[in-house]
Amino acid sequence: MTENQKCRIRWPDLAVILAATFTLWLPIQVHSQTYAGELSCGPLNGVQGDNRYINQKQRALVENAHFPIHVENLIRGHSGHLAADISYTLNAFPNHYRALISAVRYAERTKTDAPPQMWYPVECWFDRAIRFKADDHIVRMLYAEFLIKRSRPEEAIRQLDAALHFADPQSPITPYNVGFLYFEMKRYDKAFQYSKQAQDMGFPSHELMRRLEAVGQRSEQPAIEPHSMESQVPVVR
């Protein structure tokens, strides 16, 4: 394995550690405007493909030019400004998970959700990803975490509902990550329920259970009801 491969976070590795990475809470300049739709966040011009299914050759053309490891880790730009390289990557692949994470981390570093040299405010990148592929449950979870950090829990819950709706029902990883996000909202009953669901499906949710026990949540919590959505999942929020 090369040093570049060792450093790079890959999917599905990211899914396993998704919620566990949501620990850095920095002061952010929160804008009163909610960014959504083509008028605020631009048309989906220049899109090259779905991050989940794009072939490696096409992905490499963009990532080698604009998203090498030093861009992903916010060390320096590659073809130009760091924020512009992240923006180019997300314009080409709107649901590029690692680039979305880098955009959020860059906003945390610059303490604004509209960082200089970034083509759009960070929330626009989530809007564009959801407009591009509304059924991408990973984007929904990443967006939910973004909303939680900005004290918008009801919007975050809608994204978590969408994530559960679109995810593979046979995979325990999504309920585990959703449980972690409910834990971040201090919705410990929901966190326990989804942690227990993941555990019952064979996923070792020891870390989340340990955190729940630390805040007094015990195994006598009721089992989770089968998830259902009362209404159609919106394309954006």
Side-chain angles (χ1 to χ4, degrees):
M1 180 179 292
T2 67
E3 191 63 31
N4 188 66
Q5 289 172 318
K6 290 179 182 177
C7 294
R8 186 177 297 278
I9 298 174
R10 295 168 301 169
W11 199 264
D13 304 310
L14 178 60
V16 179
I17 65 170
L18 182 63
T21 65
F22 300 152
T23 56
L24 184 60
W25 291 65
L26 299 177
I28 300 291
Q29 179 183 343
V30 178
H31 297 265
S32 58
Q33 179 178 354
T34 298
Y35 294 97
E38 185 171 315
L39 185 62
S40 296
C41 299
L44 296 174
N45 295 334
V47 172
Q48 297 188 24
D50 187 336
N51 178 68
R52 297 169 293 181
Y53 309 118
I54 197 73
N55 67 70
Q56 289 302 313
K57 182 178 180 181
Q58 190 172 0
R59 181 195 300 275
L61 287 174
V62 172
E63 291 188 350
N64 291 344
H66 297 281
F67 201 66
I69 194 66
H70 53 266
V71 172
E72 180 175 357
N73 288 339
L74 309 184
I75 297 169
R76 65 182 186 278
H78 190 70
S79 70
H81 194 281
L82 175 64
D85 276 327
I86 296 171
S87 298
Y88 188 98
T89 305
L90 286 170
N91 192 67
F93 307 124
N95 59 337
H96 192 295
Y97 310 133
R98 291 182 289 107
L100 284 169
I101 291 171
S102 292
V104 172
R105 289 175 57 223
Y106 189 68
E108 291 172 343
R109 172 182 289 184
T110 58
K111 298 181 173 60
T112 174
D113 282 341
Q117 304 295 320
M118 191 162 278
W119 297 1
Y120 298 104
V122 173
E123 188 163 10
C124 274
W125 295 121
F126 288 109
D127 171 86
R128 292 169 63 83
I130 292 171
R131 277 193 283 135
F132 175 56
K133 291 296 176 183
D135 66 344
D136 191 327
H137 68 288
I138 305 303
V139 168
R140 300 285 188 161
M141 287 191 289
L142 291 171
Y143 187 28
E145 193 271 340
F146 173 89
L147 294 167
I148 291 167
K149 286 187 177 182
R150 284 144 186 82
S151 302
R152 293 159 63 182
E154 295 307 314
E155 294 171 79
I157 288 170
R158 288 198 289 273
Q159 295 303 319
L160 295 180
D161 283 345
L164 290 162
H165 176 77
F166 289 124
D168 179 359
Q170 303 303 315
S171 172
I173 296 174
T174 300
Y176 177 76
N177 284 324
V178 167
F180 245 113
L181 289 166
Y182 272 114
F183 183 89
E184 295 295 340
M185 289 188 284
K186 296 182 169 57
R187 294 286 302 274
Y188 299 132
D189 56 338
K190 289 287 190 181
F192 182 90
Q193 290 174 352
Y194 286 111
S195 177
K196 183 67 165 57
Q197 179 180 344
Q199 198 170 60
D200 289 346
M201 296 172 72
F203 192 84
S205 55
H206 307 309
E207 175 61 21
L208 180 51
M209 283 296 192
R210 183 189 66 77
R211 296 190 188 194
L212 285 164
E213 288 180 1
V215 295
Q217 301 299 303
R218 300 294 179 179
S219 58
E220 60 267 16
Q221 293 277 354
I224 189 169
E225 295 294 327
H227 177 76
S228 62
M229 298 189 70
E230 295 294 333
S231 59
Q232 184 178 2
V233 178
V235 172
V236 180
R237 278 172 288 279

